[in-house]
Structures are given as C-alpha cells and as structure tokens.
Amino acid sequence: MLDQAPAPDDIRDLVSPLLTLEGPLLPMLHAIQAEWGHVPQAAVPVLADLLNLGVAEVHGVISFYHDFRKEPAGRHMLKICRAEACQSVGGNAMAQRMLDRLGVDWHGTTRDGGVTVEPVYCLGMCACGPAVMLDGRVIGRIDDARLDRLMTQVGA
C-alpha cells in the first residue's frame, strides 16, 4: 500500500489489461483495491474515462458494494455478523462492547492502524452465533472473553 494517492497513469496501467473483459468495472475496482488497499478517489475519473461512464456511475458502484473501501483498512480485518440469528444470541451487545473497546465505530480503523471493524450480514454460522470473521477466518460461538483474546493475539 502507498501512503499517497496513485498517479492516474499507474491506475491506467493496472486496469487497462482488464478492458477486454465483459463488465470490467468490478474486476478493475478489485484490482485497484488489491494494489493500494482501497479505491482511492483518484481512480474514479480514470475508470470513468476508460469505460466511457460518468464519474457518478463509478462512484455509485463503489458506494453500493460494501467490500470496496475509500480508505486503507487496518492490518487486521474484524467482521462482526449483524444478522438476526447472531443478534438473537447477544451479538449486538457483544459488537458494541468491542467497538467501545477498540474506540471505533463501524467501518472504523483503530488509531494505530491495527484493526478495521466491518459489519456483515451473515457469515453462514447461524446455528453457532454470534459469529465473527477475523482475517478471513470464520469463528462461531464467540463471546466477549474469546473476542478479547483474539484481539489481544493480533495486538489490539
């Protein structure tokens, strides 16, 4: 990841090979996020120009899909299930306690850049809720103590 916005030519070089795909915008956005850790604002006009779309259309796609980030994520990604099954077994209260502990809100990243917290609306662990996903690993039957241990293990 870079600390500054990528140059338009760097963005163009990265995504141009994807122009031949059918419906190339989503693959381009994924490639940009993989390269820079987020979709920087500088990418929007470049994509609009390459794809002959309006800037608002590109922005609309980025804002519609929750996996695209406008800012770099933390070193660790904590996704907390917000679906009804997890809510029914205490997921909301546990989630709020973790947000308070980390000092962030949803979509926020801790001050040290260690952890980003995202809401998700089903991790497929409905019978084992509440559930979280930490760095791509789904964990069910999570409680405050177990989540605290996990956060301590990643340095949060």
Side-chain angles (χ1 to χ4, degrees):
M1 282 186 264
L2 300 175
D3 289 339
Q4 61 188 28
D9 286 341
D10 294 334
I11 296 166
R12 200 171 280 106
D13 290 346
L14 177 69
V15 301
S16 288
L18 303 173
L19 278 169
T20 59
L21 296 176
E22 186 174 334
L25 180 55
L26 287 176
M28 288 175 170
L29 291 169
H30 283 290
I32 290 167
Q33 186 158 290
E35 181 72 18
W36 288 289
H38 66 296
V39 179
Q41 183 59 37
V44 174
V46 173
L47 295 175
D49 180 56
L50 284 171
L51 298 170
N52 197 28
L53 297 171
V55 169
E57 290 176 276
V58 175
H59 174 74
V61 171
I62 294 167
S63 62
F64 178 80
Y65 291 101
H66 298 286
D67 283 338
F68 294 124
R69 295 181 298 277
K70 295 177 186 173
E71 301 292 328
R75 292 181 299 280
H76 300 282
M77 179 66 71
L78 174 64
K79 296 184 179 190
I80 301 176
C81 184
R82 307 278 293 150
E84 290 81 2
C86 286
Q87 288 180 34
S88 72
V89 289
N92 281 348
M94 181 210 56
Q96 189 58 55
R97 285 188 294 271
M98 183 51 54
L99 291 170
D100 292 344
R101 176 184 182 240
L102 295 173
V104 299
D105 202 353
W106 294 112
H107 309 284
T109 300
T110 56
R111 289 180 207 247
D112 66 356
V115 178
T116 296
V117 182
E118 297 284 341
V120 293
Y121 292 91
C122 191
L123 291 169
M125 299 286 288
C126 299
C128 300
V132 301
M133 179 185 286
L134 180 60
D135 297 335
R137 179 177 156 231
V138 179
I139 306 159
R141 293 192 174 96
I142 200 84
D143 59 20
D144 289 330
R146 190 168 180 206
L147 190 51
D148 278 339
R149 283 192 304 274
L150 289 168
M151 290 294 96
T152 299
Q153 288 172 1
V154 298

